[in-house]
Each structure stands twice: as structure tokens, then as C-alpha cells.
Amino acid sequence: MKVFEPVPTSAVPPATRKRARTAGRKLQELWDSRELLWSFVVRDLKIRYKNSVLGFAWSLLTPLALMVVFTFIFTKVFVVGPRDFAILFLAGYLPWQYFANSVVNSVAVIVNNSDLIKKVYFPREFLPVATVLSQLVHLALSLAVLGVYLMFKGHNFLPYLPVLLLAMLLLTFFNMGVSMVFAAANVRFRDIQELTPVIFLLWFYGTPIFYSFEMVPAGYKTLLLLNPMTWYLDLFRRVLYFPRSPSAGLVAVAFGLALVSFGLGYGVFLRLARTFAKDV
Amino acid sequence: MSRRGSDPLKPGEVSVNNLWESFRIFHSRPRGLKERVLRFQKSVHEDFWALRGVNFHLEPGESLAVIGSNGSGKSTLLKCLTRILAPDRGHVAVGGKVATLLELGAGFHGDLSGRDNIFLNGSILGMRKKELEKAYDAIVDYAGVGEFIDNPVRNYSSGMYVRLGFAVAVNVDPDVLLIDEILAVGDASFQEKCYEKMYEFKRAGKTLVLVTHDVNAAASLCDRAILLESGSLVAEGTTREVGAAYLQRLLTDQTGATSHQPPDKPAKRWGLGGARVLSVEILDDGGHSVDAVALGDQIVLRQRVEFMKEVEDPVFAYILRADNGTELATSTSLRRHIKTGRYKPGDVVEVRFAQTMNLLPGRYVFTVMVANRDGSRWLDWWDDCLPFHVLGIAGDKGFVHLESSMELEAVEPASLSEPRHPGD
């Protein structure tokens, strides 16, 4: 038996840097645990619709109701603004809901799963990412309903379907980045989960959703361009409202925003995730 | 020989290199932004190092016991191995898949059915869907949930809930299995299953790390052990050596300069008065006061009792209890029909019980008492006043050493037709 002197409590730990895991290993890990990500998404969806008679029909009913109400209001009651205002609104509102719900539902996802975080290791980013993906399912269903309505109204957007899918993909990566930052920051500052709904309420009015970009006075347009959601909603409206091809510049900006958001968000998240088990 | 963390390890290999892990102790924790902004300062905290420079290396197939008292950093070490905690300094590398056995029901959701939870919980523990599908029937069967499998688990009884969690957990098939305090979880049948699973892993040549303060459990399962003390590694060797070193340290820590006057705890001491136990001690065969004995030692339990009023033939007695409260033995002067004598106020008597300590290694405690002549009234009852250890490492379960022996003899089939009981 070897016996060692205990390290004195006054001893100072060596100032070595933490060794970063290589990107290759991280990817390997994500690939190995891909089934878990799927399980989390399924869990989110099942929990939401458990004990409800209509189940998934609920996520179709909301856009349907909105569509009926807005069509009525803007064609019979309040006949101003651009043509087909209901479609203009929904083409912006549905992606906005996707973004807002992703972040608002992600913000407390680490804190609420503290038991899991403290007991078992798994890639922590799966929690916010699964939240975003389950919201993506809702977006897809809502857009399907809107698509049927568009075809019925004679808007043939099908040639632009690939652009729509690209828009969904880019917005998904943007959402993941923002959701990860909010979820990780909320572990240190629990105020953030109270603050988030307020932020998104203000952000809602600062985004061209129930108005269009063109309706805004020139002086404020620059301000609106600083809002990433302005670009994404523009991309969705090109397909669903006009429909026409987006400019290469617009796609490039949407792509750039997704890249920056996801890259920064993931980086920040992984950095803070090191101490989640101690802080939750 | 320090290993580089980026070297690929063989499956089942474990390498821990100069591992330091700290926790923040907040003196006043600013929970929110407001406090932090208003105070213009960072939170007031101290770093507490739960692990200080721990090193060890395991080859595939080795089994290691991590021994230490509460707060020594054992569980923190385990959490670093599972990657729940990231090392603050140094590094930890585990080759292949790592899993813990006893995270029962991690991620169970009350609103989901048993079936959904099996798959969710399984994938959280790192199992593949295919493996779970294969094990599914066995899991449902073991859990005994039957037709409830499609009901939400919040409707399950707590027994069903735990069994379901356990039935999933035993299906893990990692290269390195980690176990935290096996004996602390579940009932006897669980523990048996856990042991079964661990032996199965050991036989299959998998690496095993068992965290425990139960030296006997460690010795029965692990070949090697390390001893942690306040986060430092202080001994490394065979489980028997390290286990013995641990018990020895435990004793010197607890008793210091062997004072045998335990602090008076009013709640555990009561009686009518008239007599009072002044001191209780264990004396070894040399007459020295000790607080640890070995199996089979001859000892004397010595009490000194003072009388405050006149008492005739008082009863002196003790109760020996195991650490878990089980009463193992009693001895009284009443049963022995000893005339103990007549005492006046101010008299002091020394009572000596001679004993052979046929006890298995572990922690025990004496309770002593003085009663009136027929034992109907307690004058002084001093509960759990003298704890002591029996040293050594035993693979046997229980408390008592009965000096049993065993014989084998072949039996002729013809003799079996004879009546089994003499009275038949």
C-alpha cells in the first residue's frame, strides 16, 4: 500500500488551462446520442398533448382561428392597408410565434431539469434544442394549414417551397442560438426567465408583424433592419405573400444571422454548461 | 507518467490526472441581476476544493473501491468520471461508454405512460432504442406493472415506480460501471440484484468503480482501493489494506486522545435518580481503556456508579446494539441473581462485565443502566453512551461470529425413506 501526505487545505491548485474537447469528439458524441435528442422532442410533444382530446389538432386550430378572424376583420370591418392583409399577417406571425415560443420555452429548461442535470450526463444542449425542434413541428403544421388556405385563394406558392424550407432551416438555427444563450444565462441569473416574456412583448411590436416593412416611415426603417426577425419574416413573406424569389442578399443576411447566432450561442452555452451541475 | 488527455483510451480504461474540483460557497448569494447590479460587486464567495490533485489509472477489467468518510470527495470524484462535473483543473478521461447503475427513474415524467418512460429513461441512461426493445418484455415483467404499462406513471405506486426505474437501469451495458453507495438504495432484493449485476460485470471483464464508506462491501467486490480524505488521495493499494487504514484513521479521528467520558446528552439519559453512572469504559486484557477491539478479544466493560440515596441490591445492566439500532445482547445482574449489596449516599461502586467480543467488524454501541432491586424502576439509563469499533475486514454478513463449522457427508438414498422427524 502506498500512503500519501494529504494536500494541505491551503494549497493552491495549479493554474493549468482546461483542455478543450476537440470538435471531432463533440460531433461523435452528438451522433452517438442522437436518439436521446429525438426522445426529448417526443417527450415535449407528448406532454403537451397528453390529456387533451383533440391532441395535435390544437396546433392546427390556433392558426385556423387566427386566419378566420383576421380575414373577417380586414375584409369586412377594417378595410384599410395592403391587399390580403390576413395572409400578410399570418406569414409573419407564424414564424414569429415559432421564434418567441422557442426562446420563452427554452429559458427555464435547464433550471427545470435540475434533477436530470445533477444526476446524469448527456449533451446539455439537447434540452433547448429539443424545445426548438418541437416548436418547429408546430410551425410546420401551422404552415401546412396556411398553405391549404393559400392554394384555396389561388396563391400558388408551391414553386417556392424550397425557399420556404430554407427559411425554416435558417430560422431554426437562429432560434437554437438565441434559445441556448437564454437557457444558459438563466442558470446564473434567474431573473431572465421573468424578463423574457417582457422582452418578447416589446420585440413583437418592434418587428413588422401586423404591419409591413413598407408601411414604416423612412427614418425608422434603418432601425428595423437591425432587428434580425425583420429579415426572416421578409424571407417568409416572399414565399407566402407575394410569392416571389428572395434576393440573394436577403438569403445571405438570413444565413449570416443564423450562423452568428448558432455559433455564438452554442459557444456561450458550452462554456457555461461546464458548471450547470453546480449551479442548478 | 502523465497521460495526455487526447490520447485515445482503450475501452474500459480510466485515467484521472491531477484532478481538482471546486465548489463555490456563497456567503451571501446574489440570486438575481438586481442584487448584482446594485451592489456593484461580484458575489461574495469562497472556493472550496472538494478534490485536490487526485491521480489514478485503471486498466480495462480492474475494479476500484473509492473509500472515504462523508465529505471526503468520493461522490464528486464519481460525478467527474460520469462527466456530470467538468474538471476545474487537471483532467479525466474514460475510454468507451460509462454509466452509473443507480440513477433510478432519471427523467421519468409523471404524465407519460410507463412505456414512454422506459424509452425516455433508457435513452437518458445511454441505451439504444434497439436494446430497449429487446429488453422491453423483461423490464415490464420485472417491474410487475402489467396492464398499467400504458397508464401515466404518476398513477403508479411508489414500489412500481422504483421497480420500473430499476428494471431499466440494470440493462445498462457500459465499458465502465460506476456505483455510488450501493447499500443505501432499495430493499434487500434490489441490493441482491445490484450485487448480481456487479459480479456479472466483473466476470465480463468490465471496469468497475464503487464509491462507498462500507469497507466490507468494497472488499467483497473490488481488488484495489483508494482512500480519500478531505479531497486528497491519502492511500492506494489492495482493498484490504486500504480498508484497514481507513478504519484506523476513523478511530483516531473520532476519539482523539481517547477520552471515554461521552458528552452528556440529556435527551438520551433519564431515570428516577438516586444512582448515577459516572463513567463507562472498555478495557482490553492489559487493563487499558480502548475504543476499538478485534474479533474474539477478551474485554471488560467497566462502569463506575455513584449513589445519592440508600439502595439495596441495585440491578446493573447493559444493552449492546449494532450501529443500526438492532439489540444484540443484554446482561444484567438480575438474571444472574447476584446480590449486589447495600449502598449509602456517596458510595461509589465499580461494576465489571467480562466479555468475549464475538462480533463481526463494524460499529457497535453500549447502553448502560442501573435499576432498583427488582428491576422495575430505572435509577439511571444512559442510552448509547459508549460507541466502539470492531476492527478487521469480514466478508460475512450480520453481526455475530458463531464459530460455526461445516461437514459434508454423502447420504445413501435408502436412508431418505426413513421418517424425517424422530416423532413421526
PDB file of all heavy atoms in Angstrom, chain A residues 6-34:
ATOM      1  N   PRO A   6      -1.673  14.117   2.777  1.00  0.00           N
ATOM      2  CA  PRO A   6      -2.812  14.857   2.206  1.00  0.00           C
ATOM      3  C   PRO A   6      -2.356  16.234   1.718  1.00  0.00           C
ATOM      4  O   PRO A   6      -1.459  16.828   2.298  1.00  0.00           O
ATOM      5  CB  PRO A   6      -3.784  14.999   3.375  1.00  0.00           C
ATOM      6  CG  PRO A   6      -3.035  14.629   4.591  1.00  0.00           C
ATOM      7  CD  PRO A   6      -1.858  13.799   4.189  1.00  0.00           C
ATOM      8  N   VAL A   7      -2.963  16.676   0.626  1.00  0.00           N
ATOM      9  CA  VAL A   7      -2.659  18.009   0.117  1.00  0.00           C
ATOM     10  C   VAL A   7      -3.240  19.011   1.114  1.00  0.00           C
ATOM     11  O   VAL A   7      -4.422  18.948   1.418  1.00  0.00           O
ATOM     12  CB  VAL A   7      -3.298  18.209  -1.274  1.00  0.00           C
ATOM     13  CG1 VAL A   7      -3.049  19.612  -1.779  1.00  0.00           C
ATOM     14  CG2 VAL A   7      -2.775  17.172  -2.236  1.00  0.00           C
ATOM     15  N   PRO A   8      -2.425  19.926   1.642  1.00  0.00           N
ATOM     16  CA  PRO A   8      -2.947  20.844   2.659  1.00  0.00           C
ATOM     17  C   PRO A   8      -4.069  21.709   2.112  1.00  0.00           C
ATOM     18  O   PRO A   8      -4.076  22.036   0.926  1.00  0.00           O
ATOM     19  CB  PRO A   8      -1.729  21.689   3.044  1.00  0.00           C
ATOM     20  CG  PRO A   8      -0.723  21.457   1.985  1.00  0.00           C
ATOM     21  CD  PRO A   8      -1.012  20.131   1.371  1.00  0.00           C
ATOM     22  N   THR A   9      -4.996  22.066   2.984  1.00  0.00           N
ATOM     23  CA  THR A   9      -6.160  22.837   2.527  1.00  0.00           C
ATOM     24  C   THR A   9      -5.750  24.207   2.020  1.00  0.00           C
ATOM     25  O   THR A   9      -6.474  24.844   1.287  1.00  0.00           O
ATOM     26  CB  THR A   9      -7.190  23.014   3.659  1.00  0.00           C
ATOM     27  OG1 THR A   9      -6.470  23.283   4.854  1.00  0.00           O
ATOM     28  CG2 THR A   9      -8.044  21.791   3.821  1.00  0.00           C
ATOM     29  N   SER A  10      -4.560  24.656   2.426  1.00  0.00           N
ATOM     30  CA  SER A  10      -4.119  25.972   1.980  1.00  0.00           C
ATOM     31  C   SER A  10      -3.483  25.902   0.586  1.00  0.00           C
ATOM     32  O   SER A  10      -3.202  26.936  -0.008  1.00  0.00           O
ATOM     33  CB  SER A  10      -3.101  26.529   2.976  1.00  0.00           C
ATOM     34  OG  SER A  10      -2.042  25.605   3.118  1.00  0.00           O
ATOM     35  N   ALA A  11      -3.270  24.683   0.093  1.00  0.00           N
ATOM     36  CA  ALA A  11      -2.576  24.542  -1.183  1.00  0.00           C
ATOM     37  C   ALA A  11      -3.351  25.202  -2.304  1.00  0.00           C
ATOM     38  O   ALA A  11      -4.579  25.174  -2.326  1.00  0.00           O
ATOM     39  CB  ALA A  11      -2.372  23.067  -1.505  1.00  0.00           C
ATOM     40  N   VAL A  12      -2.625  25.812  -3.202  1.00  0.00           N
ATOM     41  CA  VAL A  12      -3.245  26.494  -4.334  1.00  0.00           C
ATOM     42  C   VAL A  12      -3.213  25.543  -5.528  1.00  0.00           C
ATOM     43  O   VAL A  12      -2.174  24.958  -5.826  1.00  0.00           O
ATOM     44  CB  VAL A  12      -2.496  27.788  -4.674  1.00  0.00           C
ATOM     45  CG1 VAL A  12      -3.186  28.523  -5.803  1.00  0.00           C
ATOM     46  CG2 VAL A  12      -2.396  28.666  -3.438  1.00  0.00           C
ATOM     47  N   PRO A  13      -4.333  25.356  -6.190  1.00  0.00           N
ATOM     48  CA  PRO A  13      -4.352  24.451  -7.333  1.00  0.00           C
ATOM     49  C   PRO A  13      -3.509  24.987  -8.480  1.00  0.00           C
ATOM     50  O   PRO A  13      -3.337  26.200  -8.592  1.00  0.00           O
ATOM     51  CB  PRO A  13      -5.820  24.404  -7.718  1.00  0.00           C
ATOM     52  CG  PRO A  13      -6.406  25.648  -7.156  1.00  0.00           C
ATOM     53  CD  PRO A  13      -5.636  25.950  -5.922  1.00  0.00           C
ATOM     54  N   PRO A  14      -2.966  24.119  -9.290  1.00  0.00           N
ATOM     55  CA  PRO A  14      -2.164  24.561 -10.422  1.00  0.00           C
ATOM     56  C   PRO A  14      -3.011  25.373 -11.387  1.00  0.00           C
ATOM     57  O   PRO A  14      -4.216  25.153 -11.499  1.00  0.00           O
ATOM     58  CB  PRO A  14      -1.723  23.255 -11.075  1.00  0.00           C
ATOM     59  CG  PRO A  14      -2.753  22.255 -10.664  1.00  0.00           C
ATOM     60  CD  PRO A  14      -3.183  22.662  -9.285  1.00  0.00           C
ATOM     61  N   ALA A  15      -2.391  26.310 -12.034  1.00  0.00           N
ATOM     62  CA  ALA A  15      -3.146  27.207 -12.906  1.00  0.00           C
ATOM     63  C   ALA A  15      -3.213  26.689 -14.330  1.00  0.00           C
ATOM     64  O   ALA A  15      -3.082  27.446 -15.284  1.00  0.00           O
ATOM     65  CB  ALA A  15      -2.532  28.597 -12.875  1.00  0.00           C
ATOM     66  N   THR A  16      -3.408  25.386 -14.486  1.00  0.00           N
ATOM     67  CA  THR A  16      -3.469  24.839 -15.835  1.00  0.00           C
ATOM     68  C   THR A  16      -4.766  25.232 -16.500  1.00  0.00           C
ATOM     69  O   THR A  16      -5.791  25.396 -15.852  1.00  0.00           O
ATOM     70  CB  THR A  16      -3.394  23.303 -15.815  1.00  0.00           C
ATOM     71  OG1 THR A  16      -4.400  22.828 -14.902  1.00  0.00           O
ATOM     72  CG2 THR A  16      -2.031  22.844 -15.399  1.00  0.00           C
ATOM     73  N   ARG A  17      -4.686  25.377 -17.780  1.00  0.00           N
ATOM     74  CA  ARG A  17      -5.910  25.675 -18.520  1.00  0.00           C
ATOM     75  C   ARG A  17      -6.691  24.385 -18.709  1.00  0.00           C
ATOM     76  O   ARG A  17      -6.137  23.301 -18.779  1.00  0.00           O
ATOM     77  CB  ARG A  17      -5.573  26.260 -19.893  1.00  0.00           C
ATOM     78  CG  ARG A  17      -5.147  27.707 -19.852  1.00  0.00           C
ATOM     79  CD  ARG A  17      -6.025  28.605 -18.978  1.00  0.00           C
ATOM     80  NE  ARG A  17      -7.443  28.529 -19.272  1.00  0.00           N
ATOM     81  CZ  ARG A  17      -8.381  28.832 -18.381  1.00  0.00           C
ATOM     82  NH1 ARG A  17      -8.072  29.157 -17.154  1.00  0.00           N
ATOM     83  NH2 ARG A  17      -9.641  28.786 -18.718  1.00  0.00           N
ATOM     84  N   LYS A  18      -7.998  24.571 -18.788  1.00  0.00           N
ATOM     85  CA  LYS A  18      -8.841  23.414 -19.079  1.00  0.00           C
ATOM     86  C   LYS A  18      -8.620  23.024 -20.536  1.00  0.00           C
ATOM     87  O   LYS A  18      -8.561  23.884 -21.407  1.00  0.00           O
ATOM     88  CB  LYS A  18     -10.305  23.770 -18.855  1.00  0.00           C
ATOM     89  CG  LYS A  18     -10.577  24.161 -17.433  1.00  0.00           C
ATOM     90  CD  LYS A  18     -11.701  25.178 -17.363  1.00  0.00           C
ATOM     91  CE  LYS A  18     -11.735  25.806 -15.973  1.00  0.00           C
ATOM     92  NZ  LYS A  18     -12.602  26.965 -15.930  1.00  0.00           N
ATOM     93  N   ARG A  19      -8.511  21.762 -20.731  1.00  0.00           N
ATOM     94  CA  ARG A  19      -8.287  21.286 -22.093  1.00  0.00           C
ATOM     95  C   ARG A  19      -9.627  21.231 -22.831  1.00  0.00           C
ATOM     96  O   ARG A  19     -10.564  20.611 -22.361  1.00  0.00           O
ATOM     97  CB  ARG A  19      -7.684  19.895 -22.044  1.00  0.00           C
ATOM     98  CG  ARG A  19      -6.917  19.528 -23.286  1.00  0.00           C
ATOM     99  CD  ARG A  19      -6.501  18.091 -23.172  1.00  0.00           C
ATOM    100  NE  ARG A  19      -5.724  17.850 -21.957  1.00  0.00           N
ATOM    101  CZ  ARG A  19      -4.399  17.856 -21.922  1.00  0.00           C
ATOM    102  NH1 ARG A  19      -3.723  18.101 -23.007  1.00  0.00           N
ATOM    103  NH2 ARG A  19      -3.764  17.613 -20.809  1.00  0.00           N
ATOM    104  N   ALA A  20      -9.682  21.909 -23.924  1.00  0.00           N
ATOM    105  CA  ALA A  20     -10.937  21.897 -24.681  1.00  0.00           C
ATOM    106  C   ALA A  20     -11.087  20.558 -25.403  1.00  0.00           C
ATOM    107  O   ALA A  20     -10.105  19.978 -25.847  1.00  0.00           O
ATOM    108  CB  ALA A  20     -10.939  23.028 -25.695  1.00  0.00           C
ATOM    109  N   ARG A  21     -12.290  20.088 -25.467  1.00  0.00           N
ATOM    110  CA  ARG A  21     -12.533  18.867 -26.218  1.00  0.00           C
ATOM    111  C   ARG A  21     -12.505  19.195 -27.707  1.00  0.00           C
ATOM    112  O   ARG A  21     -12.946  20.254 -28.120  1.00  0.00           O
ATOM    113  CB  ARG A  21     -13.873  18.278 -25.838  1.00  0.00           C
ATOM    114  CG  ARG A  21     -13.841  17.617 -24.475  1.00  0.00           C
ATOM    115  CD  ARG A  21     -15.235  17.505 -23.920  1.00  0.00           C
ATOM    116  NE  ARG A  21     -16.124  16.764 -24.821  1.00  0.00           N
ATOM    117  CZ  ARG A  21     -16.128  15.465 -24.931  1.00  0.00           C
ATOM    118  NH1 ARG A  21     -15.294  14.726 -24.229  1.00  0.00           N
ATOM    119  NH2 ARG A  21     -16.957  14.852 -25.730  1.00  0.00           N
ATOM    120  N   THR A  22     -11.991  18.291 -28.484  1.00  0.00           N
ATOM    121  CA  THR A  22     -11.892  18.582 -29.905  1.00  0.00           C
ATOM    122  C   THR A  22     -13.270  18.519 -30.545  1.00  0.00           C
ATOM    123  O   THR A  22     -14.166  17.826 -30.074  1.00  0.00           O
ATOM    124  CB  THR A  22     -10.974  17.572 -30.595  1.00  0.00           C
ATOM    125  OG1 THR A  22     -11.558  16.276 -30.429  1.00  0.00           O
ATOM    126  CG2 THR A  22      -9.597  17.578 -29.981  1.00  0.00           C
ATOM    127  N   ALA A  23     -13.418  19.289 -31.621  1.00  0.00           N
ATOM    128  CA  ALA A  23     -14.705  19.337 -32.310  1.00  0.00           C
ATOM    129  C   ALA A  23     -15.104  17.951 -32.803  1.00  0.00           C
ATOM    130  O   ALA A  23     -16.277  17.580 -32.761  1.00  0.00           O
ATOM    131  CB  ALA A  23     -14.616  20.310 -33.482  1.00  0.00           C
ATOM    132  N   GLY A  24     -14.113  17.173 -33.221  1.00  0.00           N
ATOM    133  CA  GLY A  24     -14.396  15.829 -33.718  1.00  0.00           C
ATOM    134  C   GLY A  24     -15.074  14.967 -32.676  1.00  0.00           C
ATOM    135  O   GLY A  24     -16.062  14.286 -32.951  1.00  0.00           O
ATOM    136  N   ARG A  25     -14.541  15.041 -31.444  1.00  0.00           N
ATOM    137  CA  ARG A  25     -15.132  14.237 -30.376  1.00  0.00           C
ATOM    138  C   ARG A  25     -16.536  14.685 -30.030  1.00  0.00           C
ATOM    139  O   ARG A  25     -17.401  13.893 -29.707  1.00  0.00           O
ATOM    140  CB  ARG A  25     -14.278  14.360 -29.116  1.00  0.00           C
ATOM    141  CG  ARG A  25     -13.092  13.467 -29.180  1.00  0.00           C
ATOM    142  CD  ARG A  25     -12.769  13.030 -27.787  1.00  0.00           C
ATOM    143  NE  ARG A  25     -11.398  12.615 -27.715  1.00  0.00           N
ATOM    144  CZ  ARG A  25     -10.724  12.465 -26.596  1.00  0.00           C
ATOM    145  NH1 ARG A  25     -11.317  12.743 -25.458  1.00  0.00           N
ATOM    146  NH2 ARG A  25      -9.489  12.065 -26.614  1.00  0.00           N
ATOM    147  N   LYS A  26     -16.725  16.013 -30.075  1.00  0.00           N
ATOM    148  CA  LYS A  26     -18.043  16.556 -29.773  1.00  0.00           C
ATOM    149  C   LYS A  26     -19.061  16.045 -30.793  1.00  0.00           C
ATOM    150  O   LYS A  26     -20.146  15.607 -30.433  1.00  0.00           O
ATOM    151  CB  LYS A  26     -17.976  18.087 -29.789  1.00  0.00           C
ATOM    152  CG  LYS A  26     -19.249  18.768 -29.372  1.00  0.00           C
ATOM    153  CD  LYS A  26     -19.468  18.695 -27.882  1.00  0.00           C
ATOM    154  CE  LYS A  26     -20.933  18.892 -27.528  1.00  0.00           C
ATOM    155  NZ  LYS A  26     -21.207  18.605 -26.124  1.00  0.00           N
ATOM    156  N   LEU A  27     -18.662  16.089 -32.054  1.00  0.00           N
ATOM    157  CA  LEU A  27     -19.570  15.619 -33.099  1.00  0.00           C
ATOM    158  C   LEU A  27     -19.881  14.139 -32.914  1.00  0.00           C
ATOM    159  O   LEU A  27     -21.025  13.703 -33.049  1.00  0.00           O
ATOM    160  CB  LEU A  27     -18.956  15.860 -34.491  1.00  0.00           C
ATOM    161  CG  LEU A  27     -18.962  17.316 -34.945  1.00  0.00           C
ATOM    162  CD1 LEU A  27     -18.225  17.461 -36.257  1.00  0.00           C
ATOM    163  CD2 LEU A  27     -20.402  17.811 -35.078  1.00  0.00           C
ATOM    164  N   GLN A  28     -18.838  13.376 -32.573  1.00  0.00           N
ATOM    165  CA  GLN A  28     -19.020  11.941 -32.344  1.00  0.00           C
ATOM    166  C   GLN A  28     -20.039  11.721 -31.218  1.00  0.00           C
ATOM    167  O   GLN A  28     -20.944  10.895 -31.321  1.00  0.00           O
ATOM    168  CB  GLN A  28     -17.678  11.322 -31.951  1.00  0.00           C
ATOM    169  CG  GLN A  28     -17.731   9.814 -31.719  1.00  0.00           C
ATOM    170  CD  GLN A  28     -17.985   9.061 -33.014  1.00  0.00           C
ATOM    171  OE1 GLN A  28     -17.354   9.332 -34.028  1.00  0.00           O
ATOM    172  NE2 GLN A  28     -18.926   8.138 -32.988  1.00  0.00           N
ATOM    173  N   GLU A  29     -19.879  12.513 -30.163  1.00  0.00           N
ATOM    174  CA  GLU A  29     -20.772  12.384 -29.017  1.00  0.00           C
ATOM    175  C   GLU A  29     -22.214  12.702 -29.409  1.00  0.00           C
ATOM    176  O   GLU A  29     -23.147  11.994 -29.032  1.00  0.00           O
ATOM    177  CB  GLU A  29     -20.300  13.341 -27.919  1.00  0.00           C
ATOM    178  CG  GLU A  29     -21.131  13.257 -26.664  1.00  0.00           C
ATOM    179  CD  GLU A  29     -20.979  14.474 -25.768  1.00  0.00           C
ATOM    180  OE1 GLU A  29     -20.061  15.280 -25.988  1.00  0.00           O
ATOM    181  OE2 GLU A  29     -21.798  14.605 -24.865  1.00  0.00           O
ATOM    182  N   LEU A  30     -22.381  13.780 -30.180  1.00  0.00           N
ATOM    183  CA  LEU A  30     -23.726  14.168 -30.595  1.00  0.00           C
ATOM    184  C   LEU A  30     -24.351  13.084 -31.463  1.00  0.00           C
ATOM    185  O   LEU A  30     -25.525  12.746 -31.310  1.00  0.00           O
ATOM    186  CB  LEU A  30     -23.681  15.498 -31.369  1.00  0.00           C
ATOM    187  CG  LEU A  30     -23.256  16.719 -30.563  1.00  0.00           C
ATOM    188  CD1 LEU A  30     -23.226  17.953 -31.449  1.00  0.00           C
ATOM    189  CD2 LEU A  30     -24.210  16.946 -29.390  1.00  0.00           C
ATOM    190  N   TRP A  31     -23.520  12.521 -32.331  1.00  0.00           N
ATOM    191  CA  TRP A  31     -24.036  11.480 -33.212  1.00  0.00           C
ATOM    192  C   TRP A  31     -24.438  10.251 -32.394  1.00  0.00           C
ATOM    193  O   TRP A  31     -25.507   9.678 -32.583  1.00  0.00           O
ATOM    194  CB  TRP A  31     -22.976  11.116 -34.264  1.00  0.00           C
ATOM    195  CG  TRP A  31     -23.392   9.993 -35.148  1.00  0.00           C
ATOM    196  CD1 TRP A  31     -22.865   8.742 -35.197  1.00  0.00           C
ATOM    197  CD2 TRP A  31     -24.460  10.008 -36.111  1.00  0.00           C
ATOM    198  NE1 TRP A  31     -23.519   7.985 -36.124  1.00  0.00           N
ATOM    199  CE2 TRP A  31     -24.514   8.725 -36.711  1.00  0.00           C
ATOM    200  CE3 TRP A  31     -25.388  10.982 -36.525  1.00  0.00           C
ATOM    201  CZ2 TRP A  31     -25.440   8.382 -37.686  1.00  0.00           C
ATOM    202  CZ3 TRP A  31     -26.323  10.635 -37.501  1.00  0.00           C
ATOM    203  CH2 TRP A  31     -26.329   9.359 -38.068  1.00  0.00           C
ATOM    204  N   ASP A  32     -23.585   9.886 -31.420  1.00  0.00           N
ATOM    205  CA  ASP A  32     -23.869   8.701 -30.608  1.00  0.00           C
ATOM    206  C   ASP A  32     -25.155   8.851 -29.798  1.00  0.00           C
ATOM    207  O   ASP A  32     -25.826   7.875 -29.509  1.00  0.00           O
ATOM    208  CB  ASP A  32     -22.706   8.432 -29.645  1.00  0.00           C
ATOM    209  CG  ASP A  32     -21.505   7.862 -30.368  1.00  0.00           C
ATOM    210  OD1 ASP A  32     -21.681   7.418 -31.519  1.00  0.00           O
ATOM    211  OD2 ASP A  32     -20.395   7.875 -29.795  1.00  0.00           O
ATOM    212  N   SER A  33     -25.462  10.090 -29.406  1.00  0.00           N
ATOM    213  CA  SER A  33     -26.639  10.250 -28.548  1.00  0.00           C
ATOM    214  C   SER A  33     -27.811  10.864 -29.300  1.00  0.00           C
ATOM    215  O   SER A  33     -28.693  11.447 -28.701  1.00  0.00           O
ATOM    216  CB  SER A  33     -26.279  11.076 -27.317  1.00  0.00           C
ATOM    217  OG  SER A  33     -25.417  12.130 -27.656  1.00  0.00           O
ATOM    218  N   ARG A  34     -27.822  10.707 -30.617  1.00  0.00           N
ATOM    219  CA  ARG A  34     -28.888  11.327 -31.410  1.00  0.00           C
ATOM    220  C   ARG A  34     -30.266  10.824 -31.005  1.00  0.00           C
ATOM    221  O   ARG A  34     -31.249  11.559 -31.062  1.00  0.00           O
ATOM    222  CB  ARG A  34     -28.650  11.085 -32.899  1.00  0.00           C
ATOM    223  CG  ARG A  34     -28.675   9.623 -33.306  1.00  0.00           C
ATOM    224  CD  ARG A  34     -28.133   9.408 -34.698  1.00  0.00           C
ATOM    225  NE  ARG A  34     -28.192   8.000 -35.086  1.00  0.00           N
ATOM    226  CZ  ARG A  34     -27.310   7.090 -34.730  1.00  0.00           C
ATOM    227  NH1 ARG A  34     -26.281   7.434 -33.962  1.00  0.00           N
ATOM    228  NH2 ARG A  34     -27.430   5.832 -35.104  1.00  0.00           N
TER     229      ARG A  34
END
